[in-house]
Amino acid sequence: FSDVLALPIFKQEDSSLPQENETKHPPFQYVMCAATSPAVKLYDETLTYLNQGQSYEIRMLDNRKAGDIPEINGKLVKSIIRVVFHDRRLQYTEHQQLEGWKWNRPGDRLLDLDIPMSVGVIDIKTNPSQLNAVEFLWDPTKCTSAFIQVHCISTEFTPRKHGGEKGVPFRIQVDTFKQTENGEYTDHLHSASCQIKVFKPKGADRKQKTDREKMEKRTAHEKEKYQPSYDTTVLTEMRLEPIIEDAVEHEQKKSSKRTLPADYGDSLAKRGSCSPWPDTPTTFVNNSPTPAPTFTSAQHNTYSVPDSNSSSPNHQGDGTSQGSGDQLHPSATIQETQQWLLKHRFSTYTRLFSNFSGADLLKLTREDLVQICGPADGIRLYNALKSRSVRPRLTIYVCQEPLRSIQLERQDAGNGDSSNGAIYVYHAIYLEEMAASEVTRKLALAFNIPLHQINQVYRQGPTGIHILVSDQMVQNFQDESCFLFTTIKAENGEGFHIILK
């Protein structure tokens, strides 16, 4: 038997095994210092519970063997850490979901880097338009730890139907790049991720304890079906094949009449399950990005944020800006209807309504839209279709005194403000904030005056005194009050004051 084992053929097969494994050897390893849940089936992916806002260490480890990727020796690499959705359904609408969270939590970020606790990270950057990502440079040969804080909790993205909603899982994803010849860090090296759920402070500890107690009550035979809890969480690479198949199947179901491009699966393979490098998204309508079944790229210029007048769950924009351009008319063509949907952040449904004109879309009832788009987007689309201009809180009429005011010839002897046969033309100023700064800003806009040149706005009071216009004064203006205004140069010669009469 020992002679058989010594045969060259067996030695050759045995020596070939490490060579196959070498091709799958990852260059880096990322380890998060948080325990995995014990209530995960043996062959399922690990699940880690995190507390909202708590700092967790991710150790960035150089896992290269001798001779691997020698071009980065002595050089820095860039890593981008993101919190993204695990569920395929939410990945398709990731941008809309994150924008909705942004409006509900103004000024907050989904992911932050705890800089004082982090070690070895250089040139840290956070993009205001990428609230779920942070990036930094690091040296693989040195000890590097990035401490992250996740501020979004899993239940914030579940439909609010009943109490005790089950939170959605997220993924912590790390993408690493090397520097190209032109000095940019765009050459992708490695990506890995892990599944997490985020709870309110101390909620993760309670959930971990509950899972552990449940497992203790199980029999020894049942425990064999579950993997043990580990003190740390290793971020692992993901297989692309089932994800690509799932994405293609999803797109085919969404539009049975439309034939997908032959290279649709190949394009997804290039982007990977995490889409760590910039790529041109597949387009179908008006060359505008459609939701792709991959995570949004963390590069700074991958998508544009809607402007302040865009429709959103909790934002109606400035009432004065709503006009015919925001209203969908029955005469709108199919192309104009598509553009309207894109402008109002309904790009998810452009393919669904690809043959609808303005009249077709306006015929749909509220119940129709809820059934087609779901409760949240259906109601939002219905409100956008039926939107009307928001009535301002206060309206005032303002006219600039001669010589600069526009005068028209008197056409009716019974009308006019003066006896010389001319009338003054007034501008309507619509106020929403009821603040002095708003009066100044809208006066400048209405009369084409550089805002930075207006020093103060006064109201002429009794005996000709000048009273500074304050927020309280504006709030006490009578609706539809009329004012004449004139300008006087400031004492220092820089700018001027406006006097309301």
Side-chain angles (χ1 to χ4, degrees):
F1 183 74
S2 59
D3 292 339
V4 174
L5 289 179
L7 290 174
I9 185 172
F10 286 96
K11 288 185 179 180
Q12 183 178 359
E13 290 181 355
D14 183 63
S15 62
S16 66
L17 293 176
Q19 294 177 4
E20 293 177 359
N21 293 334
E22 284 179 2
T23 60
K24 300 179 181 179
H25 186 74
F28 303 105
Q29 192 173 53
Y30 320 113
V31 181
M32 183 166 62
C33 296
T36 61
S37 168
V40 177
K41 292 290 183 69
L42 196 59
Y43 297 105
D44 290 346
E45 185 182 6
T46 61
L47 176 60
T48 304
Y49 304 132
L50 304 183
N51 288 316
Q52 180 188 25
Q54 182 173 329
S55 296
Y56 291 93
E57 179 185 10
I58 297 182
R59 296 174 182 172
M60 316 291 290
L61 306 175
D62 186 357
N63 199 38
R64 293 175 298 157
K65 291 185 176 182
D68 286 354
I69 320 180
E71 61 271 21
I72 67 171
N73 291 338
K75 295 183 179 180
L76 301 176
V77 295
K78 181 175 80 170
S79 286
I80 301 173
I81 302 179
R82 287 181 285 161
V83 54
V84 290
F85 290 112
H86 173 79
D87 290 349
R88 185 72 52 216
R89 173 180 56 85
L90 291 173
Q91 289 175 23
Y92 279 93
T93 58
E94 180 183 276
H95 182 58
Q96 290 87 340
Q97 295 287 343
L98 298 186
E99 282 297 302
W101 188 92
K102 174 183 176 181
W103 291 119
N104 288 323
R105 301 272 297 274
D108 290 349
R109 292 185 56 83
L110 285 90
L111 182 69
D112 267 326
L113 194 67
D114 191 339
I115 298 176
M117 294 189 67
S118 299
V119 178
V121 295
I122 307 168
D123 194 17
I124 302 164
K125 293 181 181 178
T126 56
N127 192 327
S129 65
Q130 295 278 344
L131 302 180
N132 63 329
V134 295
E135 66 176 61
F136 52 85
L137 304 179
W138 59 287
D139 187 345
T141 62
K142 296 182 179 179
C143 179
T144 303
S145 290
F147 282 77
I148 63 166
Q149 298 171 335
V150 182
H151 298 292
C152 55
I153 59 176
S154 293
T155 53
E156 288 182 287
F157 299 94
T158 55
R160 303 297 184 185
K161 295 181 179 179
H162 307 288
E165 286 84 9
K166 187 177 180 181
V168 301
F170 301 121
R171 301 198 71 80
I172 293 293
Q173 177 183 320
V174 181
D175 306 311
T176 299
F177 307 82
K178 67 179 179 179
Q179 198 171 23
T180 59
E181 295 180 356
N182 59 8
E184 297 180 355
Y185 289 90
T186 55
D187 196 349
H188 178 257
L189 289 174
H190 180 246
S191 292
S193 63
C194 67
Q195 185 183 193
I196 64 167
K197 278 191 176 183
V198 185
F199 297 81
K200 291 182 177 180
K202 297 186 178 180
D205 306 323
R206 291 192 293 269
K207 177 62 175 172
Q208 186 80 357
K209 181 181 178 181
T210 301
D211 284 359
R212 188 167 58 249
E213 290 173 349
K214 287 182 179 180
M215 291 305 301
E216 290 174 354
K217 294 178 182 178
R218 296 183 182 274
T219 63
H221 179 69
E222 290 176 332
K223 289 180 181 178
E224 292 178 356
K225 300 178 182 179
Y226 293 84
Q227 55 183 277
S229 175
Y230 299 99
D231 293 336
T232 58
T233 303
V234 178
L235 280 67
T236 57
E237 296 176 308
M238 298 177 63
R239 293 176 60 241
L240 303 182
E241 292 81 359
I243 296 174
I244 295 170
E245 292 171 3
D246 180 28
V248 174
E249 181 182 359
H250 180 90
E251 289 296 325
Q252 292 285 13
K253 286 181 179 179
K254 287 178 66 177
S255 180
S256 57
K257 295 182 181 180
R258 176 175 60 83
T259 304
L260 287 173
D263 60 347
Y264 184 72
D266 295 337
S267 66
L268 290 180
K270 292 178 182 178
R271 300 166 78 174
S273 62
C274 305
S275 183
W277 50 88
D279 197 0
T280 304
T282 307
T283 58
F284 298 96
V285 180
N286 295 333
N287 296 325
S288 300
T290 57
T294 55
F295 299 129
T296 306
S297 174
Q299 296 302 320
H300 287 189
N301 55 353
T302 52
Y303 62 77
S304 59
V305 179
D307 58 28
S308 59
N309 294 328
S310 295
S311 174
S312 67
N314 295 320
H315 183 68
Q316 296 299 328
D318 192 342
T320 60
S321 66
Q322 295 198 14
S324 59
D326 285 343
Q327 185 67 43
L328 182 66
H329 297 284
S331 59
T333 64
I334 292 177
Q335 184 177 6
E336 289 170 344
T337 303
Q338 292 287 302
Q339 292 173 348
W340 184 90
L341 289 169
L342 290 168
K343 179 180 178 182
H344 290 78
R345 297 198 311 104
F346 294 105
S347 57
T348 309
Y349 305 103
T350 51
R351 293 197 300 273
L352 185 62
F353 298 117
S354 59
N355 295 318
F356 279 61
S357 64
D360 296 331
L361 200 56
L362 288 167
K363 287 178 183 178
L364 297 177
T365 65
R366 184 176 186 271
E367 290 72 21
D368 293 335
L369 294 172
V370 168
Q371 186 175 1
I372 295 170
C373 306
D377 284 342
I379 294 173
R380 191 165 70 85
L381 179 53
Y382 177 80
N383 291 338
L385 289 170
K386 307 298 180 183
S387 65
R388 292 173 292 182
S389 296
V390 179
R391 183 175 178 83
R393 296 174 63 187
L394 178 68
T395 301
I396 61 175
Y397 304 110
V398 182
C399 175
Q400 190 170 11
E401 278 193 314
L403 298 169
R404 295 181 60 188
S405 63
I406 303 174
Q407 297 186 352
L408 299 178
E409 291 186 2
R410 189 172 181 179
Q411 298 178 356
D412 188 348
N415 297 329
D417 298 329
S418 63
S419 59
N420 60 2
I423 61 172
Y424 294 140
V425 176
Y426 283 79
H427 290 254
I429 304 295
Y430 301 105
L431 302 178
E432 296 288 344
E433 303 170 12
M434 303 284 284
S437 60
E438 184 183 17
V439 173
T440 306
R441 184 173 69 252
K442 293 192 174 180
L443 278 173
L445 183 63
F447 293 93
N448 198 25
I449 302 172
L451 181 60
H452 67 276
Q453 292 186 10
I454 302 176
N455 294 340
Q456 296 290 353
V457 178
Y458 299 98
R459 184 178 181 182
Q460 185 169 307
T463 69
I465 63 174
H466 295 162
I467 308 169
L468 182 66
V469 174
S470 63
D471 293 349
Q472 189 174 6
M473 180 184 288
V474 175
Q475 291 164 11
N476 283 279
F477 281 167
Q478 289 186 359
D479 195 26
E480 297 192 333
S481 298
C482 297
F483 297 97
L484 288 173
F485 84 88
T486 186
T487 59
I488 60 173
K489 285 189 176 181
E491 295 78 4
N492 57 7
E494 296 180 2
F496 51 83
H497 305 305
I498 289 179
I499 312 296
L500 298 176
K501 301 179 181 180

